[in-house]
């Protein structure tokens, strides 16, 4: 199986000075009530454009008939509630990207995602939209979501610290509040658009909030923590991030999608 991996490291201040690379239109409400952004859909699905063109109605027809089942997003994550801080507004694209564990089971169908939020997500402390997470009132009882290092993520963390120990470097601490959730979001995003640029055109570092030195390693196709670590350690850019003495914290994201081109997707997010 062909494998891909890319690394990037930068100061957050420098990254944000370049701004957004591309702009997506705001989603509009279609006749059936579903929000849909034809511009975003066309930009992120060139195979669909090649067959259907750029007419918004034809693109929406494809989404309803095929795209939804294939896991394609109808608009950029977070765009569905722009300008509102309502904890009651539900953004299906944001919810799918923010909680890949839910998307792995329910896909990107807005109705099913909303059902999950109403029945489970709200009680679990999940946020219904980006505005609620970033300053609006969450309808959940908890204030900050965390992602615990468990399973494959913990294995990657342990392997990273084992490599650092060989060079006398301090171990990295797991960041459950910032880098962990950010890496989880990025792992799903790279299954759609394999790049350090996010699907909405912004830098990968917009997935986290901490200032200072940041780094990201991504990879696709490796089937285990050991395999992906071997790939990263055999690449100078990725190895440099893993052995960077400046970094003190780590978040790891892992996403498996059997219908995606490389199926296995991995992300490391580093911070000083």
């Amino acid at each position: 199986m062909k494998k891909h991996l890319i690394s990037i490291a930068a100061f957050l201040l420098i990254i944000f000075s370049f701004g957004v690379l591309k702009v997506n239109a705001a989603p509009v409400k279609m006749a059936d009530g579903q929000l849909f952004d034809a511009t975003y859909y066309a930009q992120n699905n060139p195979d669909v454009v090649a067959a259907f063109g750029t007419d918004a109605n034809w693109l929406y027809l494809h989404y309803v008939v095929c795209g939804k089942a294939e896991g394609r997003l109808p608009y950029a994550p977070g765009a569905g509630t722009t300008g509102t801080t309502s904890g009651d507004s539900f953004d299906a694209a944001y919810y799918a990207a923010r909680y890949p564990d839910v998307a792995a089971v329910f896909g990107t169908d807005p109705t099913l995602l909303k059902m999950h939020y109403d029945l489970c997500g709200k009680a679990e402390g999940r946020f219904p939209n980006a505005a609620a997470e970033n300053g609006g009132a969450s309808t959940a009882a908890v204030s900050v979501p965390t992602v615990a290092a468990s399973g494959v993520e913990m294995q990657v963390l342990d392997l990273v610290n084992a490599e650092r120990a060989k060079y006398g470097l301090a171990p990295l601490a797991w960041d459950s509040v910032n880098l962990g959730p950010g890496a989880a979001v990025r792992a799903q995003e790279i299954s759609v658009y394999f790049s350090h640029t996010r699907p909405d055109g912004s830098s990968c570092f917009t997935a986290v909030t901490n200032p200072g030195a940041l780094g990201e390693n991504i990879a696709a196709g490796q089937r285990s923590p050991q395999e992906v670590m071997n790939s990263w350690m055999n690449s100078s850019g990725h190895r440099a991030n893993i052995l960077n003495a400046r970094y003190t914290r780590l978040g790891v994201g892992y996403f498996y999608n059997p219908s995606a081109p490389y199926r296995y997707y991995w992300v490391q997010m580093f911070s000083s």
Side-chain angles (χ1 to χ4, degrees):
M1 179 180 291
K2 189 176 180 181
K3 301 178 180 66
H4 285 275
L5 59 161
I6 305 178
S7 69
I8 188 171
F11 284 105
L12 189 62
L13 179 61
I14 296 174
I15 286 296
F16 279 126
S17 67
F18 287 97
V20 176
L21 300 181
K22 66 179 180 179
V23 178
N24 297 304
V28 298
K29 186 171 291 188
M30 306 303 286
D32 60 359
Q34 164 69 40
L35 290 175
F36 184 73
D37 180 351
T39 302
Y40 171 83
Y41 200 74
Q43 287 178 341
N44 290 276
N45 301 287
D47 57 321
V48 178
V49 172
F52 288 78
T54 58
D55 181 84
N57 290 322
W58 279 105
L59 290 173
Y60 184 62
L61 176 64
H62 177 273
Y63 170 71
V64 172
V65 175
C66 306
K68 186 185 298 185
E70 293 168 352
R72 303 177 194 254
L73 297 179
Y75 52 86
T81 53
T82 301
T84 177
T85 58
S86 171
D88 297 324
S89 299
F90 184 76
D91 181 343
Y94 157 84
Y95 201 73
R98 180 66 178 79
Y99 303 113
D101 58 321
V102 178
V105 177
F106 292 87
T108 59
D109 186 301
T111 302
L112 293 178
L113 291 172
K114 180 63 162 62
M115 179 184 71
H116 178 274
Y117 173 71
D118 289 338
L119 296 178
C120 308
K122 186 182 300 186
E124 293 169 352
R126 301 179 193 261
F127 294 95
N129 58 62
E133 179 175 5
N134 295 325
S138 169
T139 54
V142 300
S143 57
V144 180
T146 62
V147 173
S150 60
V152 294
E153 293 90 347
M154 176 61 85
Q155 292 178 52
V156 172
L157 174 66
D158 290 342
L159 290 169
V160 165
N161 285 334
E163 292 294 340
R164 290 174 66 88
K166 295 177 183 178
Y167 296 87
L169 298 171
L172 300 181
W174 178 262
D175 185 341
S176 64
V177 175
N178 187 30
L179 300 179
V185 170
R186 289 288 296 134
Q188 180 167 350
E189 289 181 345
I190 64 171
S191 74
V192 177
Y193 185 51
F194 190 79
S195 171
H196 291 298
T197 300
R198 303 182 71 185
D200 67 356
S202 62
S203 162
C204 60
F205 297 130
T206 62
V208 295
T209 58
N210 56 307
L214 292 169
E216 177 181 80
N217 285 348
I218 63 177
Q222 296 83 358
R223 300 188 180 192
S224 70
Q226 186 64 67
E227 187 177 350
V228 74
M229 277 296 296
N230 289 342
S231 295
W232 279 328
M233 289 301 293
N234 286 315
S235 169
S236 58
H238 303 85
R239 179 187 178 93
N241 272 342
I242 292 169
L243 300 181
N244 192 324
R246 166 174 46 182
Y247 295 141
T248 59
R249 293 176 291 171
L250 178 69
V252 178
Y254 168 70
F255 181 64
Y256 175 72
N257 183 351
S259 63
Y262 299 101
R263 297 192 292 170
Y264 304 87
Y265 296 88
W266 306 84
V267 174
Q268 291 176 321
M269 294 290 284
F270 303 87
S271 173
S272 60

